[in-house]
Amino acid sequence: MDYEIVGLVLALLLWAAAWAVLAERRRRLQEELGRLPPGPQPWPVVGNLFQLVGAASAPHQSFAKLAKKHGPVMTLHLGSMTTVVISSSAAARVMFKNQDVVLAGRKIYESMKSEIGNDGSLITAQYGPRWRTLRRLCIAEFFSAAPLDAMRGVRAKCVDQMVQYMRDAAATGLGIDVGKFFFLMAFNLIGNLIFSKDLLDPESERGSKFFYHAGKATEFAGKPNVADFLPMLKWVDPQGIRRRTQFHVKRGFDIAGEFLKERMKEMEKGSFVEKKRRDYLDVLLEYQGDGVEEHTAFSSTTINIIVFEMFTAGTDTTTSTLEWAMAELLHNPHTLHKVQAELRTVIRPGKILEEDNLEHLPYLKAVIKETLRLHPPLPFLVPHMAMDSCKLLGFHIPQETQILVNVWAIGRDPKTWKDPLEFRPERFLDPDTADYKGHHFEFIPFGSGRRICPAVPLASRLLPLTLGSVLHAFDWVLADGLKPAEMDMRERMGITLRKALPVKAIPVPCV
Ligand code: HEM
């Protein structure tokens, strides 16, 4: 009996010792890892979702408010999705300078998951060899100086066509939805760069169908989806967002696939030689691997995905920026007059704006920058993901954490920007002020580091060319007798940050 008691006591002591050792080990490990960045207290299962009810329409604003309380590196538990929000230029600098590679993964949302996979998508590719291949190819063939110079005429044609459509609409004397015209221009441009086709030609039924499905796919993909935060719901797809997004993606792919087949036939027959400019579809079809990381040609599915992605990445971002620029100019008529005066001084009477003029139009370029500061089309960039656990400013960031960089909040930070809420393009006139190439962390609307938008060189030509052309060709008056001060400047979050109410204005031809 005594032996049994001694045995029991010994066993208990051993168990207590083992427990103490394990607890100490866990404590040390936790200490070693550090703690997660601070944030609001989460609830079981739903995390901070309830605290964010109402934030769906403007999460960048809600997160900016929370960051004031919890700090520029803040943890939010969006259901099961651990999310770290970066809200200051100093924290963004440390992220991109010290942890760029490990935080260069992508968080993939449910709406983006398709049955045919995402092979070919640059935006959703995890950082690695496939991503490198796709990115190298699109930079070399689409966004570097030589192809951009070669495509100058295509840009001029698409902008000109848009001005012509506006001129036709101006004949009615009624207000037009300017964003729609910008969207059509951006879509038509990308169609021309990829397929050498005017997809919006009224004759092209397939073009307008493609336009419709690409627009719908981005609309649904931009909706907040509860299945992203509560994975047990992902099979149910309760709001039907994945189903509807993928329906339109599939229709878009079918149409892109038809263009592809036609081009392949033309190439086989050799009947395509008369076409002078090599377009992106040629590049993708000719590709046979890079001999380093890729050794085969692209499948037609991969090409479809690459093509579709260029439309979705390029149209909404461009439209959002141009529409906000017009909104801010109409809301601040003195800036509108100033930029028009600059255009009319530089461009000779009877001439249209050309890309060569842009270097003499600093105020126009400052208007674009000021618009991107206040209204970055992707206020959180494209969500990044930690590919491995790491340390950021002393905090522990677990693997698979979603990283959102609130560039909207950074662009309005009063510690960096004087009168941050005022639209004052003058602040960008000094050549020493920030540019958007990813080195000035107080102004990173295109991102920074490895995942920075590859289209910066295209956007920096296209945005001032388009805006300058419509400001040079027309005087602008707000529709329905609205006064500048009465304009509703609220935002609406979709796949990009758009103006909640479209800008309606009357173009009055002046050249
Ligand atoms: C106003 C114009 C634009 C803005 C503000 C913009 C902004 C951005 C941002 C913030 C990112 C994500 C950066 C990150 O994840 O850190 C991005 C990625 C990307 N953008 Fe743009 N963009 C614009 C125009 C375009 C255009 C015109 C195209 C193509 C025709 C394009 C193609 C892409 C692609 C393919 C990516 C993915 C890059 C990657 O994941 O490695 N963008 N863009």
Side-chain angles (χ1 to χ4, degrees), residues 1 17 23 49 84 173 218 235 256 275 300-301 327 363 385 413 470 492 495 497 510:
M1 185 67 179
L49 281 181
V84 165
T218 35
W235 309 111
K275 187 171 68 67
S300 51
T301 308
Y363 197 73
M385 185 190 73
D413 187 346
V470 305
R492 165 175 67 84
I495 197 118
L497 188 61
C510 53

Side-chain angles (χ1 to χ4, degrees), residues 330-331 476-485 487 503-506:
L330 286 160
H331 192 49
W476 289 90
V477 183
L478 282 167
D480 308 321
L482 196 70
K483 303 259 177 320
M487 280 176 77
V503 179
K504 289 246 162 84
I506 305 169

Side-chain angles (χ1 to χ4, degrees), residues 162-168 170 176 336 340 344 468-477 506-511:
M162 178 198 65
V163 170
Q164 194 49 51
Y165 290 143
M166 284 180 166
R167 216 177 275 284
D168 297 345
I176 62 167
L336 176 60
Q340 284 187 312
R344 282 159 201 176
S469 298
V470 305
L471 296 176
H472 181 56
F474 307 103
D475 280 324
W476 289 90
V477 183
I506 305 169
V508 182
C510 53
V511 278

Side-chain angles (χ1 to χ4, degrees), residues 191-259:
N192 269 280
L193 299 179
I194 296 179
F195 299 121
S196 301
K197 271 189 198 310
D198 266 335
L199 294 183
L200 296 179
D201 185 328
E203 310 281 297
S204 168
E205 199 188 318
R206 279 186 310 187
S208 34
K209 277 197 186 146
F210 188 76
F211 177 75
Y212 170 77
H213 291 299
K216 281 284 171 198
T218 35
E219 182 190 321
F220 286 117
K223 290 190 189 292
N225 188 352
V226 70
D228 284 319
F229 311 124
L230 303 173
M232 66 253 197
L233 295 179
K234 73 180 178 197
W235 309 111
V236 194
D237 188 18
Q239 295 152 276
I241 289 179
R242 189 184 58 222
R243 184 177 46 76
R244 284 189 275 183
T245 309
Q246 289 308 320
F247 170 84
H248 293 289
V249 169
K250 169 87 181 50
R251 292 292 169 281
F253 278 13
D254 290 346
I255 299 170
E258 287 172 23
F259 291 133

Side-chain angles (χ1 to χ4, degrees), residues 337-486:
H337 297 147
K338 201 164 166 181
V339 69
Q340 284 187 312
E342 182 187 68
L343 282 159
R344 282 159 201 176
T345 314
V346 171
I347 303 162
R348 276 179 289 132
K351 296 279 177 201
I352 58 168
L353 172 62
E354 290 175 10
E355 278 187 20
D356 284 342
N357 302 129
L358 294 179
E359 61 178 303
H360 306 293
L361 295 164
Y363 197 73
L364 173 67
K365 288 195 276 186
V367 166
I368 296 291
K369 283 186 174 176
E370 181 69 339
T371 305
L372 286 165
R373 178 185 72 83
L374 279 172
H375 309 286
L378 298 168
F380 294 126
L381 305 179
V382 176
H384 285 225
M385 185 190 73
M387 296 190 296
D388 208 341
S389 62
C390 67
K391 282 261 165 116
L392 188 65
L393 285 155
F395 296 114
H396 172 58
I397 309 290
Q399 190 178 23
E400 293 195 10
T401 299
Q402 165 172 246
I403 313 288
L404 302 179
V405 183
N406 194 342
V407 289
W408 181 90
I410 293 173
R412 291 167 179 239
D413 187 346
K415 290 193 197 105
T416 315
W417 304 98
K418 190 163 180 278
D419 302 324
L421 302 187
E422 275 179 30
F423 184 76
R424 279 223 328 258
E426 287 75 8
R427 69 176 93 235
F428 283 106
L429 282 179
D430 179 349
D432 290 337
T433 48
D435 69 37
Y436 43 56
K437 292 184 187 147
H439 306 295
H440 297 111
F441 295 92
E442 64 275 31
F443 181 49
I444 46 172
F446 292 94
S448 177
R450 285 166 176 74
R451 298 254 21 176
I452 190 173
C453 175
V456 176
L458 169 63
S460 58
R461 296 182 189 207
L462 182 64
L463 296 171
L465 177 72
T466 313
L467 183 68
S469 298
V470 305
L471 296 176
H472 181 56
F474 307 103
D475 280 324
W476 289 90
V477 183
L478 282 167
D480 308 321
L482 196 70
K483 303 259 177 320
E486 294 166 0

